[in-house]
């Protein structure tokens, strides 16, 4: 008997999946555990294996298209089996995700959301129609002759007709002149307005939804502090020169110092859950990693118990797998605190939106050389600004300030992070 395979829920935030690749086509034999398709979620592209033996009788979602979780993805059964009735039943009885029952309220129920099919992830060029051209084009009083086809091609490409030399009869601009034209970029800004429509990926949709919920639900406030990085710079040079198998980055110091500070200030390592505040004893630090479609936040688990070299190796591996879209759901779940570092991109200071369910996120700026006062004298120094975004429902100003003071002390005295040199 034929079996229906539905769009799986491959992450906690996934509401829709896009088929990135089918590894089988209709009519192919399929074995249980055999790779059937690759599905793009809101965070990664994951391999999806068949649960059944048989023949692929129906594909419900074409390559490059999307469908909500639990929609019909495929049907597998015996060769030649009629699936029309099964398909009709499956589409009319699609299971829905269970929701926590809430007390009934006397109010109008919102209409169910319409099913939306994700577009293929290809950019579409949209061009505002240029004003209708006259039979000839005038440049400094000189009329240019052009064929209708050449004019259309030139408008489509955004070319300045006055820059194209005609080789047709009487200097007329013809199709080959437009095709062979090698004008500069300035031609693209002449005679018309244009823009591009870029499809929204599953990852970008989730980023928009989750950060929108965070920003407009959690009352954010921000605390900024400057850190003297002279000792951290010296410690990093010494470690990388003589001890560590993995090259230590400043971000590794930040993660280690944040983890240690969170153990001293557990109210920062907490989350808001309406009726209760969850205060975590474990420290799982999410590290924001930029990828092509947006942002992923893999988690360094139990960071307070790991050495700098362990943290360094883990973060490098996460970054490598994130860019290759090879992270698994367990890699980005369970964070209790998040760090976002833009210092390497030349950003001196910024504020970050809290990555729920965390109550705080730490934004790290770049190290800047500037004159500082030490022992009553003005000397060259290296400072780094960090900003803590706090959910005021969980964290008050004093608690945030105390955390930052501890973090600052650890960063300015990195020997405290080395664990008796078990780096």
């Amino acid at each position: 008997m034929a079996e229906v395979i539905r769009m799986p829920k491959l992450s906690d935030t996934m509401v829709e999946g896009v088929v990135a690749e089918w590894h089988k086509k209709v009519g192919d034999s399929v074995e249980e555990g055999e790779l059937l398709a690759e599905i793009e979620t809101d965070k990664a592209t994951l391999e999806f294996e068949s649960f059944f033996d048989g023949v692929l009788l129906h594909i419900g979602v074409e390559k490059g298209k999307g469908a909500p979780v639990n929609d019909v993805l495929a049907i597998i059964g015996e060769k030649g089996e009629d699936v029309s009735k099964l398909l009709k039943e499956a589409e009319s009885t699609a299971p829905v995700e269970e929701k926590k029952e809430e007390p009934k309220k006397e109010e109008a129920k919102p209409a169910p959301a319409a099913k939306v099919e994700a577009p293929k992830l290809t950019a579409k060029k949209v061009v505002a129609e240029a004003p209708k051209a006259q039979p000839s084009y005038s440049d400094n009083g000189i009329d240019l002759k052009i064929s209708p086809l050449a004019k259309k091609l030139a408008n489509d490409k955004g070319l300045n007709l006055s820059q194209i030399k005609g080789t047709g009869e009487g200097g007329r601009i013809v199709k080959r002149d437009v095709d062979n034209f090698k004008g500069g970029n300035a031609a693209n800004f002449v005679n018309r307005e244009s823009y591009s429509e870029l499809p929204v990926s599953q990852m970008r949709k989730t980023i928009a939804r989750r950060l929108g919920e965070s920003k407009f639900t959690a009352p954010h406030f921000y605390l900024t502090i400057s850190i003297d990085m002279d000792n951290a710079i010296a410690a990093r040079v010494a470690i990388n020169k003589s001890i560590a198998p993995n090259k230590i980055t400043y971000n590794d110091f930040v993660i280690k110092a944040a983890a240690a500070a969170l153990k001293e200030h557990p109210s920062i390592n907490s989350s808001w859950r309406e009726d209760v505040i969850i205060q975590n004893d474990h420290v799982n630090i999410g590290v924001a990693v930029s990828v092509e479609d947006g942002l992923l936040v893999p988690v360094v688990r139990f960071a307070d118990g790991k050495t700098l070299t362990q943290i360094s190796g883990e973060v490098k591996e996460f970054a490598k797998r994130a860019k290759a879209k090879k992270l698994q759901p367990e890699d980005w779940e369970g964070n209790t605190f998040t760090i976002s570092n833009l210092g390497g991109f030349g950003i001196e200071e910024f504020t970050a939106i809290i990555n729920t369910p965390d109550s705080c996120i730490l934004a790290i700026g770049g190290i800047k050389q500037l004159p500082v006062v030490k022992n009553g004298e003005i000397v060259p120094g290296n400072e780094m600004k960090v900003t803590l975004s706090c959910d005021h429902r969980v964290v008050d100003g004093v608690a945030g300030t105390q955390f930052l003071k501890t973090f600052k002390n650890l960063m300015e005295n990195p020997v405290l992070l080395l664990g008796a040199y078990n780096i």
Side-chain angles (χ1 to χ4, degrees):
M1 181 178 175
E3 299 285 353
V4 176
I5 298 177
R6 298 183 180 275
M7 178 65 75
K9 187 177 178 70
L10 298 174
S11 77
D12 57 336
T13 57
M14 178 179 170
V15 295
E16 185 181 54
V18 172
V19 176
E21 188 68 53
W22 279 105
H23 290 272
K24 296 288 183 178
K25 61 181 183 294
V26 173
D28 285 353
S29 295
V30 182
E31 296 182 2
E32 182 180 354
E34 192 173 5
L35 182 60
L36 186 63
E38 293 179 22
I39 297 176
E40 179 190 344
T41 72
D42 51 342
K43 295 178 179 177
T45 300
L46 304 177
E47 294 180 343
F48 180 67
E49 298 176 352
S50 173
F51 306 130
F52 310 105
D53 292 327
V55 174
L56 183 58
L57 302 174
H58 172 77
I59 287 178
V61 185
E62 298 296 329
K63 176 182 175 180
K65 293 189 177 181
V69 169
N70 287 327
D71 261 24
V72 176
L73 179 65
I75 297 179
I76 292 177
E78 296 180 1
K79 185 175 181 180
E81 190 172 354
D82 184 8
V83 299
S84 57
K85 183 177 179 182
L86 180 62
L87 183 60
K88 190 173 182 180
E89 291 174 354
E91 290 178 342
S92 63
T93 59
V96 293
E97 204 175 334
E98 291 185 9
K99 294 183 179 180
K100 187 177 179 181
E101 192 173 336
E102 297 179 358
K104 292 183 178 179
K105 296 182 180 180
E106 295 297 324
E107 57 182 30
K109 293 182 180 179
K115 177 181 172 183
V116 179
E117 188 175 84
K120 289 185 179 179
L121 296 181
T122 54
K124 181 174 72 175
K125 195 73 176 177
V126 179
V127 180
E129 190 168 333
K132 287 188 177 181
Q134 299 301 318
S136 62
Y137 184 91
S138 179
D139 180 47
N140 293 329
I142 301 175
D143 286 340
L144 301 177
K145 297 178 181 180
I146 183 169
S147 72
L149 176 58
K151 188 178 86 169
K152 181 181 184 304
L153 290 174
N155 283 337
D156 288 346
K157 293 183 177 182
L159 302 179
N160 185 346
L161 298 176
S162 66
Q163 296 182 353
I164 303 175
K165 183 178 180 181
T167 59
E169 185 179 353
R172 191 178 192 221
I173 299 172
V174 294
K175 179 179 180 296
R176 65 173 175 270
D177 300 323
V178 177
D179 290 339
N180 296 330
F181 179 67
K182 305 295 183 184
N185 291 333
N188 292 328
F189 298 96
V190 177
N191 198 37
R192 61 98 176 261
E193 296 177 354
S194 67
Y195 64 93
S196 296
E197 284 187 358
L198 304 176
V200 181
S201 68
Q202 298 301 309
M203 183 184 297
R204 181 56 62 184
K205 287 179 183 177
T206 300
I207 290 172
R209 176 174 56 81
R210 293 193 65 193
L211 294 187
E213 289 172 356
S214 175
K215 183 65 175 179
F216 299 116
T217 301
H220 287 52
F221 74 92
Y222 309 96
L223 301 170
T224 301
I225 196 168
S226 293
I227 297 173
D228 182 348
M229 291 294 289
D230 284 351
N231 289 339
I233 291 172
R236 177 174 177 264
V237 170
I239 292 171
N240 287 341
K241 185 177 181 180
S242 58
I243 301 176
N246 295 317
K247 295 296 183 183
I248 303 299
T249 68
Y250 295 117
N251 200 49
D252 300 328
F253 279 101
V254 168
I255 295 170
K256 182 64 177 175
L262 288 169
K263 293 298 288 186
E264 289 192 37
H265 305 279
S267 65
I268 307 300
N269 197 41
S270 304
S271 61
W272 175 261
R273 300 295 173 87
E274 298 299 336
D275 296 328
V276 296
I277 293 174
I278 302 296
Q279 192 169 102
N280 300 291
D281 298 320
H282 59 285
V283 177
N284 291 348
I285 295 185
V287 182
V289 177
S290 177
V291 293
E292 183 180 355
D293 291 332
L295 199 67
L296 288 174
V297 187
V299 179
V300 178
R301 301 181 187 282
F302 311 110
D304 55 310
K306 292 181 177 177
T307 65
L308 278 170
T309 52
Q310 288 173 326
I311 290 171
S312 179
E314 202 166 313
V315 172
K316 285 183 175 68
E317 179 62 20
F318 277 145
K320 180 180 177 181
R321 288 165 55 200
K323 293 183 187 303
K325 293 188 175 182
K326 296 299 183 182
L327 288 177
Q328 299 300 307
E330 58 269 22
D331 293 328
W332 61 69
E333 295 171 352
N335 49 287
T336 63
F337 185 84
T338 304
I339 291 171
S340 180
N341 192 336
L342 293 178
F345 298 94
I347 301 300
E348 295 180 11
E349 178 184 355
F350 70 104
T351 58
I353 300 175
I354 295 169
N355 178 37
T356 55
D358 301 349
S359 62
C360 294
I361 183 171
L362 190 63
I364 309 297
I367 299 173
K368 185 178 181 181
Q369 286 191 321
L370 71 173
V372 297
V373 177
K374 290 185 178 181
N375 300 321
E377 296 182 355
I378 298 176
V379 296
N382 294 277
E383 287 196 355
M384 179 178 76
K385 287 188 177 181
V386 302
T387 299
L388 184 69
S389 303
C390 304
D391 182 346
H392 218 325
R393 297 173 300 180
V394 182
V395 178
D396 294 324
V398 171
T401 299
Q402 290 172 340
F403 166 81
L404 283 179
K405 287 179 66 177
T406 300
F407 176 77
K408 175 183 171 73
N409 181 54
L410 291 168
M411 288 296 294
E412 292 183 346
N413 299 280
V415 68
L416 301 174
L417 302 172
L418 302 184
Y421 300 100
N422 183 24
I423 300 170

